[in-house]
Amino acid sequence: MDDVTLLARAREGDQRAFAQLVEAHRNHVWAVCLSTTGNAHDAEDALQNTLIAAWQHLDRFRGESRFGTWLHRIAVNNALMVVRKRKPDTDLTDFTDDDARTVTLTDDGPRFDDRIADHDALRAALALLPEDFRTALVLRELGDLTYADIAEHQGVGVATVKSRLNRARTQLARHLRESAA
């Protein structure tokens, strides 16, 4: 079934149609939630809130954008709400996540502790970016959204999105260099 049919059936209360509609966007939505919140537990909360909000507000989707763009917008907003509610001293590193990638210790590539340090440095540098820069960067790099979709999400022009992404990447690189020094 195509998205239009699935959307119509979901609006009539068909939960299976909604599940099929969301399934195509699941990985990107998860990546956006995880990247924005910084840990799996908060990302799960944001994802759950996203799916509930999307289900409850299907009638508000006007079809002026793609369904995936609308869903990503909801995901970012929910992830940011979770981050804003988080206590400032919350540890962002989640070592208890059983679903995390398995790490093998071999001589091929960086050591395990170096990879953790790199990952933590990236998270810390992302957290230092202004919210609109971070959101644009996450949507582009992890959400795989187009400039036009990001512009629609953020309520700005495509030129502003390009500027935000350029500044976000520049600031991110600077923060990473400073943390390595």
Side-chain angles (χ1 to χ4, degrees), residues 62-163:
R62 297 184 308 262
E64 294 171 359
S65 64
R66 293 179 307 166
F67 178 78
T69 303
W70 181 74
L71 189 61
H72 281 90
R73 178 179 300 143
I74 295 170
V76 168
N77 291 339
N78 278 291
L80 290 172
M81 280 193 305
V82 168
V83 168
R84 287 182 191 120
K85 290 179 184 178
R86 182 189 304 142
K87 294 178 184 173
D89 60 344
T90 301
D91 183 13
L92 296 179
T93 306
D94 181 10
F95 293 107
T96 62
D97 185 3
D98 294 333
D99 295 327
R101 280 184 242 139
T102 303
V103 177
T104 57
L105 298 175
T106 66
D107 292 333
D108 306 49
R111 293 176 17 161
F112 173 68
D113 53 346
D114 290 336
R115 287 193 305 254
I116 289 176
D118 290 345
H119 185 71
D120 287 346
L122 180 58
R123 273 194 190 160
L126 271 172
L128 294 173
L129 296 178
E131 187 174 300
D132 54 348
F133 288 12
R134 182 177 59 246
T135 300
L137 190 62
V138 167
L139 289 174
R140 179 69 182 153
E141 300 301 331
L142 297 173
D144 202 30
L145 267 64
T146 65
Y147 292 144
D149 290 341
I150 297 168
E152 181 182 330
H153 176 273
Q154 293 191 316
V156 297
V158 171
T160 302
V161 169
K162 290 180 180 180
S163 174

Side-chain angles (χ1 to χ4, degrees), residues 46-57:
L47 180 62
Q48 181 177 4
N49 294 343
T50 297
L51 296 177
I52 291 169
W55 174 252
Q56 291 176 341
H57 301 291

Side-chain angles (χ1 to χ4, degrees), residues 28-63:
H28 289 295
V29 171
W30 171 252
V32 166
C33 290
L34 184 60
S35 171
T36 304
T37 62
N39 69 64
H41 297 291
D42 287 344
E44 288 170 6
D45 290 344
L47 180 62
Q48 181 177 4
N49 294 343
T50 297
L51 296 177
I52 291 169
W55 174 252
Q56 291 176 341
H57 301 291
L58 273 176
D59 59 317
R60 293 186 186 170
F61 176 65
R62 297 184 308 262

